[in-house]
Structures are given as structure tokens and as C-alpha cells.
Amino acid sequence: MKRKLNQKLLNLIEYYHLINAEILFGNSTINRNIKKDNQHIYGTKKQKLEKLKQKIKYIKNCELKENAKNIVFSDGNINSKIMIIGEGPGAQEDLEGIPFVGRAGKLLDKMLQAINLDRKKVYISNVVNYRPPSNRKPTDEEIARYFPYLLNHIEIISPKILLLLGSTALKAVIGDEQTISNARGKWLKKDIGTASPWIIASFHPAFLMRQPEQKKLSWIDLKMIRDKIKLINK
Ligand code: URA
């Protein structure tokens, strides 16, 4: 059953890539005179991010967006070598329009501090940019709908290290059949569009709050990240 669902998600992501989901869900008019190849080249990182944010704001027919108060796009340093991807905003994030500012966010801050990272030094976003009602998990279709935007987001930031927090981020970015318990704590070098980061998955802080005994494994992953940063900065 789970295998079937994962395959369905992979097919959906591939399908949305093929049909260019932006055209389907976006609101902007199609200008056939713009050369597609040039679209991602022009503009500074800041401008590209603003444009991406606007595109997400124009998504149509999305239950998440219709029920949310604010878009939750990102936080942190746009020039960071480290990008962190969570699942989706919760109530506090929805109120403030900033990712990871609720209880799970406080734990994430502590986890980062443990390896001498400040959240202002990293770049943080989520698989979906609007709060799923009642904090439910995003559906496969929602993950696939937001994936082209996430892909573009990763390309713009072009991090050297990509940390995937929890099973939703793992599934969206790696499309992995594995559980987070099996996939965590392993480096993987993978091209994500034009970006080529080292990727590592680890437990989501909300999961760690429910299962604190798993923090020891999370600490192993954090130390791996600390060591990789040292290597990258050499
Ligand atoms: N959990 C997430 O996955 N993302 C947030 O922004 C907050 C909580």
C-alpha cells in the first residue's frame, strides 16, 4: 500500500514537471516571446526569490492556501551554504509568516546552536508554503503541486548542504521509499535541478518532541553536518 502511494507521488511529481505546473496553477499570463532558458538566469538572488514568492502567492485552487493566513516562504541567510527543509508551517508560522518559529522551531534553534549554527546563518524553508489545516501532513498531491517551486527555491539558494527534516521533506526531495529512520544520517550527493548539494535527512524536531529518546540519533546527524561544514570551508 505504502509502496503504491510512493509510486503515485513520484508519478505525480514527474507529471507536474512535464506539464509545467506553474502554467497550470499559476496566474501569470503566458508570454511566448520569453525564451524559457533565460527565465532563471536574469536577476539577483533576492529578485529571483521575490519572483518565486510571488509565483507561489498566485497558486490557484489550493486548499492549503485558501485556509492559511499567510504564506510562509523562508527565513535566514539567502547566501548560506546550508539550506534546511521542513514539512509545512504550523499555527505560529502561519500567524507570523516565518518558518519554524513555534515549539518545533525552538527545538530546531537549540539543535543548530549545539553545532554552533545560528538560524540567521542558515536558510530555512518547507515542502509546502501554506499551513495544512489542523496541522495535517500535506497530501501527495499537495507535495507534488509545490515541488516545482521547492525545486526552483533550492536552485536559487544553491546550497552546499541540504538538510531534510522528517519524512515529508525526504519523500519530496529524494522521492525515497525508505523510512526516515533508515534514510537518516547518510550523506548523499545529488543534483537537484542546477544545484548539487550534499544531502542528509534527519528527524523532524516535532517528532523529537514526541520521541525524545531519538535525540541521540539526531545528535549523530548534527555532528555529521558540523564535520561536513568544516570540510566544505577548508
Ligand atoms: N514544522 C515544519 O515542518 N515547518 C515549520 O515551519 C514549522 C514546523
Side-chain angles (χ1 to χ4, degrees):
M1 179 67 178
K2 190 160 184 281
R3 219 183 161 79
K4 255 192 187 161
L5 266 180
N6 279 337
Q7 192 51 49
K8 206 176 140 205
L9 173 66
L10 290 177
N11 292 344
L12 262 175
I13 288 177
E14 200 174 330
Y15 172 68
Y16 281 135
H17 276 297
L18 275 176
I19 59 166
N20 191 351
E22 229 166 67
I23 291 176
L24 196 70
F25 298 114
N27 238 351
S28 46
T29 52
I30 303 167
N31 183 349
R32 294 180 203 287
N33 296 321
I34 293 175
K35 263 196 173 169
K36 196 171 183 295
D37 285 348
N38 290 341
Q39 283 176 354
H40 296 294
I41 294 172
Y42 294 128
T44 62
K45 226 178 197 187
K46 212 171 159 195
Q47 286 167 336
K48 286 180 193 171
L49 289 168
E50 192 47 45
K51 205 165 156 188
L52 174 63
K53 189 174 175 180
Q54 292 311 319
K55 280 183 191 163
I56 296 171
K57 279 188 176 174
Y58 282 127
I59 289 175
K60 290 185 291 184
N61 305 325
C62 175
E63 191 206 348
L64 300 186
K65 187 183 166 189
E66 277 153 19
N67 287 290
K69 292 189 175 66
N70 283 301
I71 183 171
V72 178
F73 185 66
S74 69
D75 193 28
N77 177 358
I78 64 170
N79 294 313
S80 179
K81 292 178 184 164
I82 305 153
M83 181 168 182
I84 300 175
I85 299 177
E87 179 177 290
Q92 196 58 31
E93 289 77 18
D94 184 37
L95 268 183
E96 296 187 35
I98 304 170
F100 283 101
V101 287
R103 271 165 28 100
K106 299 281 171 279
L107 178 55
L108 176 62
D109 290 352
K110 280 191 191 156
M111 288 159 66
L112 294 175
Q113 274 159 17
I115 52 165
N116 293 322
L117 278 179
D118 186 302
R119 70 178 278 142
K120 292 194 189 85
K121 283 194 199 159
V122 300
Y123 187 81
I124 308 174
S125 192
N126 279 308
V127 171
V128 296
N129 303 99
Y130 292 98
R131 180 193 181 197
S134 320
N135 292 346
R136 64 161 171 76
K137 272 184 179 288
T139 64
D140 284 354
E141 192 167 338
E142 286 159 353
I143 294 172
R145 175 177 295 175
Y146 281 79
F147 185 73
Y149 304 101
L150 178 62
L151 175 71
N152 193 199
H153 211 155
I154 297 169
E155 287 186 318
I156 296 169
I157 299 300
S158 196
K160 297 256 189 293
I161 293 173
L162 187 62
L163 168 59
L164 307 175
L165 289 176
S167 57
T168 303
L170 172 72
K171 192 154 81 164
V173 176
I174 309 292
D176 214 317
E177 297 271 314
Q178 290 183 72
T179 60
I180 188 73
S181 303
N182 287 329
R184 57 145 287 276
K186 293 171 195 155
W187 285 113
L188 174 72
K189 183 89 162 135
K190 187 175 171 1
D191 290 344
I192 311 279
T194 55
S196 189
W198 281 103
I199 306 176
I200 191 165
S202 192
F203 292 127
H204 192 287
F207 170 79
L208 292 174
M209 289 189 319
R210 292 192 301 273
Q211 301 212 17
E213 68 280 5
Q214 302 293 341
K215 282 185 183 170
K216 51 185 183 301
L217 292 177
S218 167
W219 176 231
I220 293 174
D221 305 344
L222 287 168
K223 284 191 289 185
M224 287 176 73
I225 296 167
R226 185 184 62 190
D227 293 347
K228 188 62 100 185
I229 295 170
K230 277 188 200 150
L231 268 182
I232 282 169
N233 286 335
K234 254 189 185 168

